[in-house]
Amino acid sequence: MAESNFVDYVKICCRSGKGGRGSMHMHRAKYVPNGGPDGGDGGRGGHVYLRGNHNYWTLLHLRYERHVFAGHGGNGGASGSTGADGADRFIDVPCGTVAYDAETGEYICDVTSDGETVLLLRGGRGGMGNKHFATATNRAPRYAQPGEPMLERTIVLELKLLADVGLVGFPNAGKSTLLGALSSARPKVAGYPFTTMEPSLGIVSYRDGKSFVMADIPGIIEGASQGRGLGLRFLRHIERNSLLLFMVPGDTDDIRREYEVLLGELRSFNPELLGKQRVLAVTKDDLLDEELRQLLAEDLPEDLPHVFISAVTGDGLSRLKDLLWEAMNSESNKLAAITQRDRIVHRNKEIGSFLQEMSDEGEDDVIELLDADEIEDASDEEFFGLDEE
């Protein structure tokens, strides 16, 4: 089986640049005896940034670039010359990427908009040259500051897709079929469970040129919070959705119970998901007659908007889009979106479960940060500036 191009979890190693050494140079010129110190400062090391880029929708490009090293600062030179600053490194990630420290599970940052830039590692400051240390009693200092050392960190990047509507349901509930019917997305559709193995996004067109984004995730089953099926690893992709569309087939024995099971699994993953707007879609409506449809409607939760749909025949799809648009643009949902933007809290991950999570994602390999060849071994002549002219 070919490896999927959708990558939403990756571990990378970052290293900022070290600061350059200050120079210990003494001024030398014809007819200028005892010219005094004129050593310049070292340049700063390069920073490492995380930057949102709307042209990316997956972390695939970082799977093949596990090491991100910024440039080192240049050493100071003669005549007060300052060393060059090290080159900064920018890690471009899709909008909706969250970063954690791979060693401790500590939350670092969350990049949600295009062009948003977050400083991950600061480069070392350059050392001061000997000209700064000249005093009335020490006219020719033979010492200068070394540059600050580089910083190293291993981080885990976790992508949470940005969408307006998230589809939640058991396998074979018709989620991929609905996404294909409402948008130009073409997710895999088949007659067996777990056809969808990775999230899919589709843009649903609405009236007057309006549209919204719908996210389809792999189906969850009862006991997913204990690791059954595909577990709950894909549910992070609906954490940012403003609306959850629950999908239950109309030929199910007990629609209300399946809905409550889905709610229970969401509660096990993240209780805050229950505070989102919810709509229930009863799928496979083409298999029901009017009498059965009325009987099923009587048993559905009263406070939950619902609609009967068939993605195959198109029945109820217009009503579904109206219902979703009304729910997304309701005053309560707008207020919730505003307050949620200000109060989203990313908690530090418990290290035991974090290590297990990295193992499940295949990101538990130890990545060496430093090479022996990277360690600079300066000679005495170079260190003391005796070779500088």
Side-chain angles (χ1 to χ4, degrees), residues 174-387:
K175 301 186 297 299
S176 298
T177 304
L178 176 65
L179 183 65
L182 293 180
S183 71
S184 297
R186 291 296 174 261
K188 184 178 180 180
V189 178
Y192 52 86
F194 298 111
T195 306
T196 301
M197 300 298 293
E198 60 188 39
S200 300
L201 290 178
I203 299 178
V204 180
S205 299
Y206 193 58
R207 299 188 180 93
D208 302 324
K210 301 174 183 177
S211 63
F212 56 90
V213 180
M214 181 176 287
D216 172 28
I217 66 170
I220 59 178
I221 62 175
E222 187 173 4
S225 55
Q226 282 76 45
R228 294 185 60 192
L230 294 179
L232 297 174
R233 60 181 295 260
F234 290 110
L235 283 179
R236 62 172 172 262
H237 292 295
I238 62 173
E239 285 186 302
R240 301 183 189 275
N241 302 159
S242 60
L243 176 67
L244 300 181
L245 176 60
F246 288 79
M247 301 182 62
V248 181
D251 57 355
T252 301
D253 294 336
D254 193 337
I255 295 179
R256 189 187 189 99
R257 180 186 177 280
E258 285 208 3
Y259 168 72
E260 292 174 350
V261 169
L262 292 172
L263 275 184
E265 296 300 330
L266 294 187
R267 185 182 297 109
S268 300
F269 176 73
N270 184 355
E272 293 184 3
L273 289 177
L274 301 186
K276 294 182 178 293
Q277 290 273 85
R278 301 192 294 268
V279 174
L280 175 63
V282 181
T283 63
K284 303 181 182 179
D285 181 57
D286 51 304
L287 303 178
L288 309 176
D289 56 25
E290 185 61 31
E291 181 179 357
L292 182 56
R293 193 178 297 115
Q294 292 179 358
L295 291 176
L296 293 176
E298 294 175 357
D299 192 45
L300 299 179
E302 297 180 359
D303 58 342
L304 181 68
H306 65 272
V307 60
F308 289 84
I309 65 170
S310 172
V312 176
T313 63
D315 293 340
L317 295 187
S318 296
R319 170 59 183 155
L320 174 64
K321 290 195 286 187
D322 291 338
L323 199 60
L324 294 177
W325 187 262
E326 292 171 6
M328 284 189 297
N329 291 276
S330 64
E331 291 300 324
S332 60
N333 199 44
K334 289 181 179 179
L335 179 61
I338 295 174
T339 56
Q340 184 180 29
R341 188 181 303 117
D342 297 330
R343 69 175 178 84
I344 289 179
V345 177
H346 295 276
R347 299 177 177 85
N348 297 335
K349 298 199 175 187
E350 194 274 324
I351 189 62
S353 59
F354 190 41
L355 292 175
Q356 181 61 44
E357 178 183 300
M358 285 192 288
S359 177
D360 295 340
E361 298 284 352
E363 296 292 341
D364 55 341
D365 296 336
V366 177
I367 306 177
E368 296 294 337
L369 281 167
L370 277 180
D371 248 338
D373 297 334
E374 291 286 337
I375 301 176
E376 183 178 355
D377 186 14
S379 63
D380 291 341
E381 290 78 16
E382 181 183 3
F383 183 81
F384 286 104
L386 300 179
D387 62 338

Side-chain angles (χ1 to χ4, degrees), residues 12-16 48-50 66-70 91 120-121 151-155 157 369:
I12 61 175
C13 296
C14 304
R15 187 186 70 187
S16 64
V48 178
Y49 295 94
L50 203 64
R66 298 299 185 123
H67 297 84
V68 179
F69 293 165
I91 306 173
L120 282 182
L121 293 176
L151 299 178
E152 301 169 339
R153 198 173 198 180
T154 304
I155 64 172
L157 299 177
L369 281 167

Side-chain angles (χ1 to χ4, degrees), residues 65-102:
E65 188 182 2
R66 298 299 185 123
H67 297 84
V68 179
F69 293 165
H72 297 313
N75 297 330
S79 303
S81 300
T82 301
D85 291 341
D88 296 333
R89 286 296 305 274
F90 290 86
I91 306 173
D92 287 324
V93 296
C95 300
T97 299
V98 184
Y100 295 93
D101 189 294

